[in-house]
């Protein structure tokens, strides 16, 4: 029971006791008063009757009895008795209680008793005493009057009790409001949703003197809470900084970036997709940098990377950006712009900035960055965005160029916008290697110039996902993942086996690409040599293994050894993407290439670029000295075709034979 209820109950009991005492005292007072009245009435009646009977004219018996009867008939007396002195005949008049209805209940008459005693007076005849008269008043009228008075008093007591009950209810409600206003409101106002309120600044003055001590205590508690809250706010702020900031660079960390991206995507999901692009750039040689520099120097270098990239981003004030460090070697830049041109322009500026921050390694060369850029508006959730970024980065790592790998549209892998994770790729590629899930797709190529023509087939490795009704995944999608997961050499070896099997059944020449990761694998070249030695010479002579120009520059010794061993077995080797990697020109004489291939942006811009024409002249001059054919893909127009044709370059004439063929 609450303190307030206990207080009210005690007060109610006291009031009830007072009312009960008042009722008892009033009843006793009325009883005493009525008892005195009955005694007085009996005395007066006895005195009056004795005086009348003592008159000389009233001395005969009949007159005396008539006087007594007249008084008794008034109905106010219970008993009148005249006792003569000389005679033995007593004259008595008395009410018959049995014949009269009871005025009050027996329990009341038993509880409240009236002592109405008989009053006796002497009757004389002159100086001679002739008898006594005894008069006793009837107490029934007094009892009935007392009974009625009790009812009236009880009604008053009950009325007062009801009024007190209503007053107590009103008092409780008022007291609760007062407590809420004076105490509860102050306590609740100390902190609302964790934010300070004006009541924290100045204590409220209590309207009740009894609550001054309580208000003072609340004020003291308020001050302690203010101090505690300030300390907690400071700790929370430091924890948020620690939780959302990278400790080395001071940039936002992975958790903050992912939550921020999710918040933006959920906010705009109801209206439209997120209008932004995401650039992911990875330092591929961070382990080598850690060997070349001390830990303090590496931390300073990483901090400088963050500062320089932020400075580069600030040069594009129209593009809001969020820069974060995802982990040790990965940084991400969210560019809130729907324009692909603006995003690419900013990304290229970041790439130039990072190029200036390359570190010279102990092993030789400088550190390398890999860049992946996607349009975040093409994806539905954060996990899909991160998966697409990772897949684009795998493509950038395996592409061989130093530029940004831009994926404008979602890659439709496994009929989903989300690229598989590394675990899913590992399961897909491993299952394909074990259960003949790799096949080759063949495309007929026809190159010509004024001197002649070259006809051949080019093969592309395909992964068949048997769990999805044989979904075909081309090599440019799954080979980046295979290189990261260490399956590259196994996939290329399987492709060479399939190519040799196809050449056994077909008389044409077949070109097959080989990745840099495979060439750098220690057991790859000996295994290829074993396969070529085991195949017939007329089959091997029609096989051409094509390497990327970037591979020739990055892994010069291994690639040169591979090319020499393959040619020694009777096969051919070719070099592609020379226009994108002109540094490979200085290594051409160290490997026995059968042809060089140019294409892409280099061929598309050669007509309007004097620099590209000079580079083309150097390529042609070097190829002629080495007696190597030059092939060109992606010729955009007739003017470019005429220019290349005059230089003796073989131009592609598209002749698709696109049906996939499984290995035999």
């Amino acid at each position: 029971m609450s303190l307030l209820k206990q207080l009210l109950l005690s007060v109610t009991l006291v009031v009830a006791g007072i009312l009960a005492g008042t009722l008892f005292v009033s009843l006793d007072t009325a009883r005493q008063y009525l008892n005195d009245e009955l005694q007085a009435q009996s005395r007066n009646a006895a005195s009056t009757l004795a005086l009348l009977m003592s008159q000389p004219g009233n001395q005969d018996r009949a007159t005396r009895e008539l006087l007594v009867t007249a008084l008794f008939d008034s109905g106010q007396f219970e008993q009148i008795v005249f006792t003569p002195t000389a005679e033995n005949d007593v004259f008595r008049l008395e009410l018959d209680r049995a014949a009269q209805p009871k005025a009050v209940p027996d329990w009341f008459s038993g509880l409240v008793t009236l002592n109405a005693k008989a009053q006796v007076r002497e009757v004389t005849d002159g100086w001679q005493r002739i008898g006594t008269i005894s008069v006793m008043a009837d107490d029934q009228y007094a009892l009935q009057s007392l009974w009625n008075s009790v009812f009236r008093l009880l009604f008053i007591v009950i009325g007062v009790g009801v009024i007190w009950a209503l007053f107590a209810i009103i008092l409780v409600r008022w007291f609760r409001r007062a407590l809420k206003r004076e105490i509860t409101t102050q306590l609740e106002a100390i902190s609302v949703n964790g934010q300070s309120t004006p009541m924290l600044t100045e204590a409220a003055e209590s309207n009740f003197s009894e609550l001054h001590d309580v208000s003072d205590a609340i004020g003291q508690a308020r001050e302690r809470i203010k101090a505690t809250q300030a300390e907690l706010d400071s700790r929370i702020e430091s924890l948020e900084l620690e939780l959302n900031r990278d400790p080395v660079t001071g940039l936002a960390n992975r958790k903050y970036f992912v939550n921020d991206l999710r918040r933006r995507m959920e906010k705009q999901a109801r209206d439209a997709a997120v209008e932004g692009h995401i650039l992911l750039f990875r330092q591929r040689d961070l382990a080598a940098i850690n060997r070349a520099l001390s830990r303090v120097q590496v931390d300073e270098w990483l901090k400088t990377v963050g500062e320089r990239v932020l400075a580069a981003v600030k040069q594009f004030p129209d593009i809001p950006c969020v820069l974060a460090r995802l982990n040790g070697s990965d940084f991400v830049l969210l560019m809130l712009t729907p324009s692909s041109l603006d995003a690419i322009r900013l990304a290229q500026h970041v790439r130039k900035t990072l190029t200036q921050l390359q570190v010279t390694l102990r092993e030789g060369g400088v550190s390398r960055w890999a860049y992946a850029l996607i349009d975040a508006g093409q994806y539905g959730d954060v996990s899909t965005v991160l998966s697409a970024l990772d897949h684009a980065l795998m493509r950038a790592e395996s592409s061989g160029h130093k530029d940004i790998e831009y994926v404008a549209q979602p890659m439709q892998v496994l009929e989903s916008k989300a690229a598989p994770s590394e675990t899913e790729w590992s399961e897909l590629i491993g299952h394909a290697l074990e259960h003949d899930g790799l096949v080759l797709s063949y495309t007929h190529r026809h190159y010509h110039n004024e001197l002649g023509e070259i006809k051949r087939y080019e093969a592309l490795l395909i992964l068949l996902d048997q769990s999805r009704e044989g979904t075909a995944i081309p090599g440019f999608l799954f080979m980046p993942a295979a290189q990261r997961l260490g399956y590259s050499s196994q996939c290329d070896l399987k492709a060479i086996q399939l190519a040799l099997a196809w050449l056994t059944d077909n008389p044409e020449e077949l070109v097959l690409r080989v990745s840099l990761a495979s060439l750098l694998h220690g057991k790859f070249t000996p295994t290829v040599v074993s396969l070529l030695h085991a195949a017939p010479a007329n089959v091997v002579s029609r096989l051409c293994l094509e390497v990327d120009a970037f591979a020739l520059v990055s892994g010069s010794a291994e690639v040169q050894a591979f090319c020499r061993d393959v040619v020694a077995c009777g096969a051919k080797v070719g070099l592609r993407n020379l226009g994108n990697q002109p540094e490979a020109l200085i290594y051409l004489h160290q490997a026995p290439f059968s042809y060089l291939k140019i294409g892409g942006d280099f061929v598309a811009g050669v007509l309007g670029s004097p620099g590209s024409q000079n580079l083309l002249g150097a390529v042609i001059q070097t190829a002629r000295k080495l007696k190597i054919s030059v092939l060109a893909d992606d010729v955009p127009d007739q003017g470019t075709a005429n220019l290349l044709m005059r230089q003796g370059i073989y131009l592609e004439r598209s002749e698709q034979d696109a049906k996939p063929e499984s290995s035999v």
Side-chain angles (χ1 to χ4, degrees):
M1 184 179 295
S2 66
L3 181 62
L4 182 60
K5 289 183 178 179
Q6 292 180 15
L7 178 62
L8 289 176
L9 179 61
S10 61
V11 173
T12 301
L13 292 176
V14 171
V15 172
I18 293 174
L19 293 177
T22 301
L23 178 62
F24 175 77
V25 171
S26 299
L27 181 62
D28 186 67
T29 300
R31 184 189 66 79
Q32 187 65 36
Y33 172 76
L34 292 176
N35 194 59
D36 293 341
E37 286 293 320
L38 289 175
Q39 294 293 341
Q41 183 181 4
S42 298
R43 286 196 301 271
N44 293 335
S47 298
T48 301
L49 186 58
L51 180 61
L52 290 174
M53 293 177 65
S54 298
Q55 295 298 320
N58 299 329
Q59 294 300 319
D60 59 293
R61 178 178 180 181
T63 303
R64 290 196 296 268
E65 290 179 0
L66 180 61
L67 291 173
V68 171
T69 302
L71 182 61
F72 182 78
D73 289 341
S74 65
Q76 298 180 3
F77 302 95
E78 180 180 355
Q79 182 183 51
I80 300 177
V81 178
F82 175 68
T83 306
T85 302
E87 299 177 4
N88 294 329
D89 188 10
V90 177
F91 183 69
R92 177 189 297 270
L93 295 176
E94 188 175 1
L95 291 175
D96 185 5
R97 295 295 185 190
Q100 294 180 351
K102 294 181 179 181
V104 296
D106 293 338
W107 63 268
F108 184 77
S109 59
L111 182 64
V112 180
T113 58
L114 296 176
N115 297 323
K117 297 181 180 180
Q119 299 297 319
V120 179
R121 295 290 184 271
E122 292 182 353
V123 179
T124 62
D125 185 8
W127 295 101
Q128 184 180 358
R129 178 175 175 272
I130 61 174
T132 60
I133 185 71
S134 174
V135 179
M136 186 174 64
D138 187 4
D139 62 354
Q140 292 300 309
Y141 296 100
L143 285 175
Q144 187 174 8
S145 177
L146 189 60
W147 174 257
N148 295 333
S149 298
V150 167
F151 265 102
R152 289 193 297 271
L153 189 58
L154 185 62
F155 177 77
I156 293 175
V157 169
I158 293 175
V160 171
V162 171
I163 293 174
W164 165 251
L166 295 176
F167 173 75
I169 294 174
I170 296 173
L171 180 63
V172 168
R173 293 180 178 179
W174 172 83
F175 195 58
R176 285 178 176 175
R177 288 196 299 267
L179 286 177
K180 184 174 183 180
R181 183 174 61 253
E182 298 295 330
I183 299 177
T184 309
T185 304
Q186 295 186 44
L187 293 175
E188 292 177 350
I190 289 179
S191 179
V192 179
N193 297 328
Q195 301 295 328
S196 299
T197 62
M199 293 200 68
L200 285 173
T201 306
E202 183 178 355
E205 189 69 24
S206 175
N207 296 324
F208 302 94
S209 58
E210 294 82 357
L211 298 179
H212 284 168
D213 294 339
V214 178
S215 298
D216 293 340
I218 293 176
Q220 296 175 5
R222 180 186 299 109
E223 295 301 324
R224 291 194 296 268
I225 291 174
K226 283 176 62 178
T228 304
Q229 185 175 1
E231 181 181 355
L232 289 176
D233 290 342
S234 177
R235 293 182 60 185
I236 290 172
E237 183 179 359
S238 62
L239 288 175
E240 286 180 347
L241 290 176
E242 182 179 349
L243 196 64
N244 295 324
R245 294 291 175 182
D246 178 64
V248 176
T249 62
L251 302 176
N253 59 14
R254 180 185 182 91
K255 180 179 179 181
Y256 177 84
F257 173 78
V258 171
N259 290 336
D260 182 66
L261 182 60
R262 179 180 291 109
R263 185 165 52 250
R264 294 178 187 275
M265 299 186 76
E266 290 177 352
K267 180 179 180 181
Q268 298 190 19
R270 296 184 296 270
D271 303 325
V274 175
E275 295 182 347
H277 291 71
I278 302 178
L279 173 67
L280 175 65
F281 47 98
R282 168 178 292 176
Q283 176 48 246
R284 302 177 63 182
D285 300 309
L286 186 59
I289 293 176
N290 286 326
R291 292 192 296 268
L293 303 176
S294 66
R295 180 177 179 180
V296 175
Q297 291 175 325
V298 173
D299 290 347
E300 287 296 326
W301 178 78
L302 290 171
K303 185 177 180 181
T304 303
V305 168
E307 293 174 351
R308 294 286 294 275
V309 172
L310 284 175
V313 168
K314 289 180 180 178
Q315 297 181 20
F316 294 80
D318 296 336
I319 304 177
C321 296
V322 177
L323 178 63
R325 185 187 182 197
L326 298 184
N327 51 45
S329 59
D330 290 355
F331 295 80
V332 65
L333 179 64
L334 172 61
M335 298 170 283
L336 299 175
T337 174
S339 172
S340 300
L341 294 178
D342 290 342
I344 293 174
R345 185 162 54 91
L346 176 55
Q348 290 291 353
H349 187 66
V350 171
R351 186 182 69 83
K352 292 178 181 179
T353 301
L354 294 175
T355 302
Q356 300 172 2
L357 297 173
Q358 291 177 316
V359 178
T360 303
L361 306 177
R362 289 182 179 178
E363 297 83 357
V366 294
S367 59
R368 299 166 299 162
W369 291 93
Y371 308 90
L373 178 65
I374 67 169
D375 183 357
Q378 301 295 327
Y379 301 89
D381 54 68
V382 175
S383 60
T384 307
V385 168
L386 296 178
S387 179
L389 273 174
D390 185 62
H391 190 79
L393 189 64
M394 287 191 293
R395 290 178 57 179
E397 292 173 339
S398 63
S399 62
H401 59 69
K402 301 178 183 179
D403 210 338
I404 298 172
E405 187 74 18
Y406 178 47
V407 180
Q409 297 293 332
M411 295 167 290
Q412 299 295 335
V413 181
L414 303 181
E415 299 180 358
S416 172
K417 289 186 178 182
S421 63
E422 287 191 6
T423 303
E424 294 172 335
W425 274 128
S426 180
E427 294 176 354
L428 284 172
I429 299 173
H431 186 272
L433 289 170
E434 294 178 1
H435 300 86
D436 296 329
L438 295 176
V439 297
L440 291 178
S441 174
Y442 306 95
T443 303
H444 195 199
R445 299 290 185 182
H446 185 193
Y447 295 89
H448 70 98
N449 63 7
E450 295 177 350
L451 301 177
E453 62 180 7
I454 299 175
K455 293 182 179 181
R456 63 183 190 175
Y457 279 85
E458 293 184 1
L460 176 65
L461 190 62
I462 301 293
L463 186 151
L464 298 179
D465 182 10
Q466 302 299 333
S467 64
R468 296 178 179 267
E469 300 180 355
T471 300
I473 305 176
F476 71 88
L477 288 180
F478 78 86
M479 280 303 291
Q483 293 180 28
R484 178 182 289 185
L485 296 170
Y487 290 116
S488 175
S489 60
Q490 299 179 50
C491 292
D492 282 339
L493 287 173
K494 182 64 176 179
I496 293 174
Q497 294 175 0
L498 295 174
L500 292 173
W502 185 86
L503 288 170
T504 302
D505 299 331
N506 296 274
E508 291 84 0
E509 182 178 333
L510 181 63
V511 177
L512 182 66
R513 296 180 179 182
V514 181
S515 64
L516 173 60
S518 299
L519 296 175
L520 297 178
H521 194 277
K523 297 182 180 180
F524 180 74
T525 298
T527 306
V528 173
V529 171
S530 300
L531 291 175
L532 296 179
H533 280 310
N538 64 333
V539 171
V540 175
S541 62
R542 289 181 284 113
L543 176 64
C544 181
L545 300 179
E546 190 176 84
V547 299
D548 194 276
F550 177 76
L552 182 61
V553 175
S554 300
S556 179
E558 292 83 355
V559 175
Q560 292 172 26
F562 173 80
C563 294
R564 287 193 295 268
D565 291 343
V566 167
V567 172
C569 293
K572 302 174 185 178
V573 291
L575 188 69
R576 69 177 183 272
N577 292 334
L578 182 60
N580 295 330
Q581 199 72 38
E583 299 97 321
L585 280 173
I586 62 177
Y587 300 102
L588 286 180
H589 65 284
Q590 298 180 7
F593 292 108
S594 299
Y595 67 89
L596 309 176
K597 185 186 289 185
I598 59 177
D601 295 338
F602 176 69
V603 171
V606 70
L607 188 61
S609 173
S612 297
Q613 294 177 14
N614 292 333
L615 178 59
L616 177 62
V619 171
I620 294 173
Q621 185 178 2
T622 304
R624 286 175 179 174
K625 288 182 179 181
L626 298 176
K627 297 181 180 181
I628 301 175
S629 302
V630 180
L631 284 63
D633 288 332
D634 307 321
V635 180
D637 50 48
Q638 189 60 42
T640 304
N642 294 335
L643 174 63
L644 298 177
M645 190 75 72
R646 287 195 299 270
Q647 300 292 335
I649 298 176
Y650 289 85
L651 306 183
E652 178 192 10
R653 180 181 296 166
S654 179
E655 188 176 340
Q656 297 283 335
D657 186 11
K659 62 177 182 178
E661 301 180 17
S662 61
S663 61
V664 180

